[in-house]
């Protein structure tokens, strides 16, 4: 099914929010390859391939602590 202009804008917004390819595929109910292809067409490929969480953000809080408490 072709992408509508509205879907393209929603995809751009989600990408800028930090959604990764699998998340975008779930949100838009499309294959990951279709998401990558559309992002490439929109010039957003690199951004969407990044993980949504920064290093250490996804870790359990106690795993981040060092030393005694």
């Amino acid at each position: 099914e072709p992408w509508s202009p509205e879907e393209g804008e929603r995809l751009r917004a989600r990408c800028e929010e930090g959604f990764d390819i699998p998340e975008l595929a779930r949100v838009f109910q499309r294959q990951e390859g279709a998401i990558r292809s559309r992002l490439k067409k929109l010039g957003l490929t690199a951004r969407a391939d990044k993980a949504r969480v920064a290093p250490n953000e996804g870790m359990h809080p106690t795993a981040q602590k060092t030393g005694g408490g």
Side-chain angles (χ1 to χ4, degrees), residues 4-56:
S4 70
E6 293 82 14
E7 283 180 308
E9 287 306 311
R10 284 180 35 227
L11 181 63
R12 180 184 302 276
R14 296 299 187 281
C15 181
E16 290 173 356
E17 289 171 14
F19 282 64
D20 63 17
I21 299 287
E23 289 173 317
L24 292 168
R26 283 190 298 276
V27 168
F28 290 92
Q29 297 182 338
R30 292 180 183 258
Q31 297 294 319
E32 289 183 20
I35 298 294
R36 283 189 188 92
S37 177
R38 191 60 180 184
L39 289 171
K40 184 175 181 179
K41 190 170 188 173
L42 294 172
L44 298 170
T45 304
R47 266 195 237 172
D49 284 334
K50 293 181 182 175
R52 192 167 177 190
V53 293
N56 298 328

Side-chain angles (χ1 to χ4, degrees), residues 54-67:
N56 298 328
E57 277 187 32
M59 295 175 61
H60 190 276
T62 57
Q64 293 178 19
K65 295 180 181 177
T66 57

